[in-house]
């Protein structure tokens, strides 16, 4: 039985398509942490290629076959190879992969040392063309922020809240997620923890009070460290505070140009 | 042309359906505030009826016709009539309506008096049967909570955060949304505001520090006031704190039994 | 250093709290599938206990310690023990656990046999009291539904769409998630697959066309099978269709009473 | 009483901030439709400005004051003026506004003419600098798509589903939202409707079957029309299908370069 291959038919609209593929695919993922221990998580996957103007459609099932070609759990090494496999399998000139997943890290509470897992958000974006690959790693790190203005003007207390810092980087050599997470956590009023006993809670409360930051301070603190990092060539850092005194959020962003312009203010 | 009415065909599985209808319908809604000024908002609507065992299906388009029968903007009065119209139009014995919408209220900042709109979440649930109607009103109110433990053990500061209190009530006489909102806001460490100038920020920071509450305190404070309210016959109150020191939330809930049992602990 | 234990202070409002605890905790979970192979996933966890009227607060860090007491990956066996550990650790009379996680199953395409992972949603809810435990398992299964009315009245084609069936069960003996998934998938117009080659796509298209179901049919088909299942004692089944011809959803629900009433219609 | 103005303090990190402001603000919005009738809806608002390197922080309350300066319901005309007001009020060089809101349009069913409201998603993005303003309008339009491959290879039926087309445009003269919506709806297998009686359902079922489109066809159909539109100078069109045979989505995108390159393929 021969079934029509509608996708391979000629298209006459003379319109190439920038990206076409699949989105919202759930797939198990294994990733090694900085101590080289494997960690199991679940990724939401997008894959796309370009489509030349003369073809009516891409072959969607091939994306899924490439995704499954390494077994029923992806590794980061396998995932990184997917865009190049898409180039071959779909005869494309540009291929794109996104993996979004929760990532865990065990942290010791600051006084009692009680260990607890904290979850972070991670996004890998890989673009491949014939002769080059672009890899962007993004981490989202929840932190405590305490308002410098509220502290300065109030006789007691200071409003504080959970915030999220999102840092995207390009790099010359791979950077551990833990390094990016620590870079961010050390830029806030306090890191978060999943287990805090009373001596720990006293510690983080006082540490946050002693170290107030605006969202502006937070993105600048992260930007300074990213500027100094030997392997980071580009970054975009955002901070968003779920303000405890408002029902809206405060937000700031700095993006480092791909080529620095010393005259930029 | 006569088109088959598949829905009206006989079903032989002898299984009545508890609820069948439409979900996720967006529709404009007008609602009068406590000062009797009309406020325009947008509701997400669900409608359902029961279906006797002998019918294969309900007639989904009739739900939408009932919804549209009052024009292109619903009012609360019109909405309240919908369940009974569904009973008639769909020959049902039980009908159910849900309206979920944002609601706005202008509030004056506590020192400068600057007016600003704050948004709340509202849910109306109406169930109608032949001889009775059940109406549950739910409001979700964002507040500030400051941790009593953190304050007690720390030499300076105290962690605080945005939280959301959700209160569902049944009543003998209609209750204004503003009354429920005020009941909740007065139970927290501080209400939220959309505009706070520096003297206001000093005020709410110190007020929150002077009035620490756990989620447990918050639901008890609301429950006490709901118990004392002359028109509230049943309630369920939840408080959820987006903890500023954790990446998870603290949560508490009290539900008043429909018939009070004095021996309940 | 002795730090005040605010939570243990006496409360004088005489209001017991039904449930208090933590929500939105992310934690790795390992679960064995029907072939007894371990599968790694990530759960969103809620834990709660009741709180007697005389105590001001619960001890939130103990919930997290109980969660972490079995290492940095939960198993289903460990999870099932958590409510009873909460009863002891928090001196509570009722404890509640919820685990919500994606679950994967490899399925063969219907003609070519190509294997692909499909993701499902799972919720475990466990309530423990002194002398009894209540366990509810819920699975959410995406399916294809093809409209019987559209098919009956149209000269060609029939609208169809993705829908989700959610089945919650109580049981006398444990039931495999795969059994519940198969029970649901066999009740729809067609199961879904992650990889379909052209012969498979022809097969599922024609199978769906040959097997039209309303949401009403879907919940009745599932209810019939759940009624016949030897180990299911209670169920609640919902079906929601993301209608391809509307921007809203069709929805139906049947709940089996805990004690059957033969006179119920 | 003079309160410290922490935000105005000097910053020594020499890092200008690209954007800083507020996010997630809910606010009522009035917008005129193509028939010049006012329509009331609710917008989610973001506002931001740049911040020169020498200042420690922006003044967040001023964003909210600018938003409220036109009363408790925004109009599109007032909204369009906000970025320039932010430039003045915050002494900034670049200002940014985003408004995201549901938009309604009454449509007649194709055979019976029954009128029903359909909801669309709209995003306005306005960027202002000293001497220029950039305005991007985005509409998200739900449609029916029927798979050409499934139709070609199957003896009966064809899988179809709800999809969403998102079109962003820049323009030389203002374009009505209705014009963009019609441009998109005429590019799909069928438009959606909120009320369809049986003759209408027959019509849309057969129309979709007669007019199959891939996501690739959909973005090309829209791109062709946008290329021909006299006032559209740039566009980005995406189509996402909630595939009825998979639990993931198919997706395609075409972006027109701001300056056309005739050699681009």
């Amino acid at each position: 039985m021969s079934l029509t291959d509608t996708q391979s038919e000629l298209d006459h609209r003379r319109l190439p398509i920038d990206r076409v593929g699949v989105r919202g695919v759930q797939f198990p993922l294994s990733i090694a942490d900085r101590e080289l221990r494997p960690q199991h998580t679940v990724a939401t996957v997008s894959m796309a290629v370009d489509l030349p103007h003369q073809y009516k459609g891409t072959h969607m099932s091939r994306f899924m076959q490439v995704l499954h070609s390494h077994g029923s759990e992806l590794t980061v090494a396998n995932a990184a190879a997917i865009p190049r496999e898409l180039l071959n399998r779909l005869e494309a000139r540009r291929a794109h992969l996104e993996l979004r997943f929760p990532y865990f890290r065990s942290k010791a509470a600051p006084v009692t040392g009680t260990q607890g897992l904290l979850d972070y958000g991670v996004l890998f974006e890989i673009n491949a063309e014939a002769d080059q690959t672009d890899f962007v790693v993004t981490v989202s790190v929840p932190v405590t922020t305490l308002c410098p203005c509220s502290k300065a003007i109030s006789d007691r207390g200071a409003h504080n809240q959970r915030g999220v810092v999102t840092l995207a980087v390009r790099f010359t050599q791979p950077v551990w997620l833990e390094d990016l997470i620590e870079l961010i956590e050390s830029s806030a009023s306090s890191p978060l923890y999943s287990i805090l006993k009373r001596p720990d809670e006293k510690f983080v409360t006082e540490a946050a009070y002693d170290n107030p930051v605006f969202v502006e301070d937070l993105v600048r603190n992260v930007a300074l460290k990213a500027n100094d990092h030997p392997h980071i060539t580009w970054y975009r850092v955002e901070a968003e505070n779920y303000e405890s005194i408002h029902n809206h959020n405060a937000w700031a962003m700095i993006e480092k140009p791909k080529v620095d312009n010393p005259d930029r203010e």
Side-chain angles (χ1 to χ4, degrees), chain A residues 207-263:
Chain A
Y209 191 80
D210 294 342
N211 188 28
V213 291
F214 287 128
V215 282
E216 294 93 326
D217 292 309
L218 202 36
V219 294
R220 279 173 168 150
N221 288 346
V222 171
L224 275 184
K225 290 170 188 168
N227 281 338
D228 287 344
H229 194 288
H231 304 141
I232 295 177
T233 56
W234 169 90
Y235 61 83
R236 185 180 196 276
V237 55
E238 296 182 51
E240 184 160 5
N241 269 1
Y242 307 118
E243 298 285 296
S244 66
I245 60 173
H246 298 303
N247 200 26
H248 60 260
N249 303 335
W251 175 80
M253 184 272 287
I254 295 178
E255 179 172 348
K256 181 191 172 77
K258 290 197 193 181
V259 178
D260 274 317
N261 173 357
D263 297 329

Side-chain angles (χ1 to χ4, degrees), chain A residues 11-240:
Chain A
D11 199 274
H12 303 286
R13 282 166 286 196
R14 301 199 59 76
L15 281 166
I17 291 178
D18 291 292
R19 282 190 186 173
V20 56
V22 295
R23 271 194 167 182
V25 182
Q26 299 283 306
F27 210 84
L29 172 71
S30 172
I31 177 169
D33 66 18
R34 196 171 53 183
E35 283 74 40
L36 305 180
R37 289 172 304 212
Q39 177 179 128
H40 303 286
T41 183
V42 174
T44 302
V45 183
S46 298
M47 292 174 281
V49 295
D50 68 312
L51 185 73
H53 73 84
Q54 63 269 31
Y55 295 115
K56 184 167 169 63
T58 191
H59 289 85
M60 296 285 181
S61 65
R62 295 184 193 170
F63 291 92
M64 299 303 287
Q65 288 186 296
V66 166
L67 179 65
H68 284 78
S69 63
H70 305 286
S72 63
E73 190 182 55
L74 212 56
T75 65
V76 170
N78 290 341
I82 285 179
R84 209 143 290 281
E85 292 165 21
L86 292 176
L87 289 183
N88 292 333
R89 188 65 182 275
L90 287 148
E91 297 172 45
R93 302 197 311 186
R94 294 188 301 276
H96 179 73
L97 171 74
E98 282 185 26
L99 298 177
R100 198 178 286 275
F101 55 91
Y103 183 78
F104 294 91
R105 189 178 165 228
S106 189
K107 289 170 67 175
V111 176
T112 65
T114 313
Q115 290 285 332
L117 287 186
L118 199 66
D119 58 300
Y120 304 90
V122 177
L123 171 65
F124 286 172
E125 293 170 283
I126 310 178
N127 284 289
E129 296 193 41
D131 51 351
Q132 62 183 20
T133 297
D134 180 48
F135 199 142
V136 176
V137 170
T138 303
V139 288
S140 290
V141 177
V143 297
T144 299
T145 59
L146 185 136
C147 178
C149 170
S150 171
K151 176 180 173 181
I153 62 181
S154 303
D155 292 336
R156 51 198 180 280
H159 79 80
N160 53 78
Q161 53 268 318
R162 200 190 294 166
V164 172
V165 180
T166 300
L167 173 64
V169 297
R170 289 188 170 90
F171 40 83
T172 52
Q173 294 183 26
V175 182
W176 290 107
L177 292 173
E178 286 82 353
D179 293 348
L180 298 176
I181 290 167
E182 289 170 1
L183 187 159
I184 292 167
E185 290 186 337
S186 63
S187 301
S189 296
S190 172
L192 301 191
Y193 298 89
S194 65
I195 308 179
L196 293 172
K197 304 305 290 180
R198 276 203 299 281
D200 305 309
E201 184 171 357
K202 174 181 168 63
F203 182 92
V204 298
T205 300
E206 295 172 355
Y209 191 80
D210 294 342
N211 188 28
V213 291
F214 287 128
V215 282
E216 294 93 326
D217 292 309
L218 202 36
V219 294
R220 279 173 168 150
N221 288 346
V222 171
L224 275 184
K225 290 170 188 168
N227 281 338
D228 287 344
H229 194 288
H231 304 141
I232 295 177
T233 56
W234 169 90
Y235 61 83
R236 185 180 196 276
V237 55
E238 296 182 51
E240 184 160 5

